[in-house]
Amino acid sequence: MSRRGLMRGGLAGLGGAAAGIAVLRGREWIGPDRLPLDGGYAPAGNELGGQGRGAVSVLWHVRTEQPLVALTFDDGPAPDWTPRVLDTLDRLDVAATFFVVGQRLRRHAALVRDRYARHEVGNHTWAHKDLAQRDERGVRDQLRRCHDAVADVLGREPTLLRPPWGHLGGTTLTVAEELGYDVVMWSRQMREAAFARDPAGIVADTVAAARPGAIILAHDVGDRRRLVTIDHLTGIVAGLRDRGLRPVTVSALRAAAAADPAP
Ligand SMILES: [Zn+2]
C-alpha cells in the first residue's frame, strides 16, 4: 500500500473503530491482523468519539501555485549539528520548521532557546518513540511531554506533529486531534545515505526534486552520513533560490497557499 493509500484508508477508518491501521516496518507492510495483541498495539479505540472536531489534518504536500517549499529538520536539538543548521539559516535569512524531540529540547534548552525564535517548532514526541506501537495513554504521554517541553522552554505552544518515521496509527490521530495538532509528513526526504560522499549530488538531487508546495525532510541529528546535508545546506538553499523557490516554514507555506486565488 502506498503512503497515500494508507492516509486515505487511515482517515476513512477513523469513522469506525480506528482499530488497526497498517504500519510500515522497514519495507514490509503489516496489517492489523498481524499485530500482536499484547505488544502495545491496543486497538485505537476511539474513546474520544463525539468530542472535538472528530477529524485531524494530515498533510505531506501543500497545493499551491506559489514558488515556496517548506524546509523541515527532525530529531534535534543536539550540540554541534543544530547550531550549525541555525547558523546557516541565519546567514541565508531562511526560516525553517524544526520537529524536536522533547527530552533533547529539555537537555539542550540553553543552546536553542533564543535561536529558535525565528523558526517554527513542532512536536516529534518526547523520546522519538514509534507511536503506531503505543496505546492511547502511551501516545498521549509522548505528545504531552514534548508539548510541555516546547511550551516551557520556548514559551509557545506547538501546533504541528510529525510522528517518528511517519508511523501513524488511529490512536495518534485521535490524540493529535485532542491536543489540537495537525499532522505533517513530508513529500521529499533528502537522500543523505545515497549522497553521503557526494556533496554536489545531494544538492542537485534535492533541488531537482523540489516543487512548489513541497515539504522537504532533513535531520539535524543522526549518523554521520547526514552531515552531507548540514555541510551543504548553503548550496541546497542557493539551488532552490536559483530555481525561483523560496524556503519557508510549514505554517508559512500553508498560509501562503490559503491566500491563493480559488482555482
Ligand atoms: Zn525522527
Side-chain angles (χ1 to χ4, degrees):
M1 185 189 293
S2 70
R3 173 177 292 134
R4 185 162 299 201
L6 168 69
M7 293 303 156
R8 292 212 178 106
L11 289 170
L14 270 179
I21 295 172
V23 294
L24 180 62
R25 308 194 137 283
R27 293 175 174 275
E28 181 187 14
W29 287 102
I30 300 178
D33 55 334
R34 293 177 56 192
L35 298 177
L37 291 176
D38 57 355
Y41 291 102
N46 196 347
E47 293 158 20
L48 300 168
Q51 302 175 32
R53 289 177 290 170
V56 64
S57 170
V58 180
L59 61 138
W60 51 93
H61 173 93
V62 174
R63 185 174 174 183
T64 181
E65 301 296 317
Q66 300 190 50
L68 303 173
V69 297
L71 268 188
T72 67
F73 294 89
D74 285 12
D75 298 358
D80 187 28
W81 288 33
T82 305
R84 288 167 66 184
V85 171
L86 292 166
D87 287 347
T88 301
L89 295 177
D90 279 351
R91 187 160 37 77
L92 298 172
D93 194 24
V94 169
T97 300
F98 290 84
F99 288 97
V100 299
V101 173
Q103 64 180 9
R104 291 184 181 145
L105 179 63
R106 291 268 189 209
R107 192 180 309 141
H108 304 299
L111 195 69
V112 294
R113 180 177 282 114
D114 298 328
R115 303 212 57 194
Y116 277 156
R118 67 177 298 174
H119 301 287
E120 180 166 46
V121 175
N123 190 326
H124 198 48
T125 74
W126 170 252
H128 207 271
K129 297 298 186 185
D130 185 346
L131 298 178
Q133 297 191 42
R134 277 171 169 68
D135 63 12
E136 184 178 313
R137 181 185 302 184
V139 169
R140 185 179 293 110
D141 180 65
Q142 283 293 313
L143 299 189
R144 186 82 242 179
R145 290 171 77 187
C146 182
H147 187 101
D148 290 347
V150 173
D152 289 350
V153 172
L154 303 177
R156 50 183 153 140
E157 307 266 337
T159 60
L160 304 179
L161 163 66
R162 176 171 283 163
W165 303 284
H167 288 186
L168 265 184
T171 301
T172 302
L173 297 176
T174 54
V175 176
E177 191 272 350
E178 173 194 340
L179 297 177
Y181 281 101
D182 291 336
V183 178
V184 179
M185 311 300 263
W186 56 92
S187 56
R188 180 73 182 182
Q189 179 167 0
M190 291 195 193
R191 298 198 295 159
E192 298 107 332
F195 294 103
R197 297 175 187 277
D198 181 3
I202 189 76
V203 172
D205 185 67
T206 304
V207 170
R211 301 281 182 275
I215 299 175
I216 301 171
L217 165 62
H219 295 86
D220 58 336
V221 172
D223 73 49
R224 296 192 58 78
R225 288 177 299 180
R226 289 178 174 168
L227 280 171
V228 70
T229 299
I230 308 297
D231 290 341
H232 299 281
L233 188 55
T234 299
I236 290 168
V237 170
L240 293 171
R241 286 175 166 167
D242 285 347
R243 285 197 51 209
L245 295 167
R246 186 159 67 89
V248 295
T249 66
V250 171
S251 288
L253 176 62
R254 297 176 80 191
D260 276 353

